């Protein structure tokens, strides 16, 4: 823990805001076939994910590893950007009316990987652990609530 200090990381906050942008739209403008607004079958898992999400965002924005390098366009940062674009593509498809499993996975996996790649790039292993737990919960949530629920999405 001696390698970490409290400090504001504006890039971590920017990443979070960019990843939340489609959610802000979704909160205010429902999509057609909006299955994401249904009641969750995994409330405990959702609670764990929510706590981990708040903690990892706080860690990305407020915890810095001492002696880290300046932010550069590394393969991890490129991966972060690609995952963000895939996530946006998922929202475009979702708003286009598609609720296929691949679309649900685009809304689930790439945002988690984007945060993970950023955390790894910044060597913020406190955030990385929380992101991994969040990712597992988020993926299970998506699988249980939207992909494995009677198979109805496979035919959509």
């Amino acid at each position: 823990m001696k390698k970490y200090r409290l400090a504001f990381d504006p890039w971590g906050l920017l990443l979070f805001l960019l990843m939340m942008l489609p959610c802000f739209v979704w909160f205010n403008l429902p999509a057609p076939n909006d299955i994401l607004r249904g009641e969750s079958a995994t409330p405990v898992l959702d609670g764990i994910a929510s706590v981990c999400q708040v903690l990892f965002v706080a860690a990305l924005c407020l915890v810095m590893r001492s002696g880290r390098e300046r932010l550069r366009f590394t393969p991890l940062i490129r991966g972060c950007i690609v995952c963000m674009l895939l996530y946006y593509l998922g929202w475009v498809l979702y708003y286009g009316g598609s609720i296929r499993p691949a679309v649900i996975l685009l809304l689930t996996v790439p945002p988690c990987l984007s945060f993970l790649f950023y955390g790894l790039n910044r060597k913020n292993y406190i955030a990385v652990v929380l992101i991994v737990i969040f990712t597992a919960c988020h993926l299970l949530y998506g699988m249980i609530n939207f992909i494995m629920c009677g198979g109805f999405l496979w035919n959509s």
Side-chain angles (χ1 to χ4, degrees):
M1 294 303 267
K2 292 179 182 180
K3 294 183 179 185
Y4 294 95
R5 61 186 169 88
L6 288 178
F8 177 65
D9 182 352
W11 295 109
L13 178 61
L14 179 63
L15 175 61
F16 173 70
L17 292 174
L18 288 172
M19 296 304 286
M20 289 302 296
L21 188 60
C23 295
F24 296 142
V25 171
W26 175 76
F27 289 140
N28 295 301
L29 180 66
N33 302 322
D34 200 353
I35 63 170
L36 298 179
R37 292 186 190 270
E39 187 173 334
S40 176
T42 57
V44 172
L45 199 59
D46 302 347
I48 295 168
S50 293
V51 169
C52 286
Q53 183 179 31
V54 168
L55 293 175
F56 88 67
V57 169
L60 283 179
C61 295
L62 300 173
V63 176
M64 289 190 178
R65 188 172 171 105
S66 299
R68 71 183 185 157
E69 296 179 12
R70 292 185 54 182
L71 189 62
R72 294 179 300 125
F73 202 58
T74 64
L76 285 169
I77 295 300
R78 285 193 292 271
C80 176
I81 293 167
V82 167
C83 286
M84 185 182 334
L85 294 174
L86 286 171
Y87 178 57
Y88 286 173
L89 173 63
W91 278 107
V92 168
L93 294 171
Y94 186 71
Y95 268 86
S98 179
I99 54 172
R100 295 187 176 281
V103 173
I104 300 302
L105 289 173
L106 280 174
L107 297 176
T108 306
V109 177
C112 297
L113 290 177
S114 187
F115 287 120
L116 182 65
F117 293 156
Y118 183 80
L120 288 169
N121 177 268
R122 307 316 296 148
K123 295 180 175 44
N124 186 338
Y125 301 117
I126 295 169
V128 166
V129 168
L130 294 164
I131 293 166
V132 168
I133 296 167
F134 171 79
T135 300
C137 293
H138 199 50
L139 185 57
L140 283 170
Y141 163 80
M143 296 291 294
I144 293 168
N145 284 283
F146 306 113
I147 295 177
M148 299 180 347
C149 53
F152 78 93
L153 292 180
W154 292 101
N155 300 319
S156 298

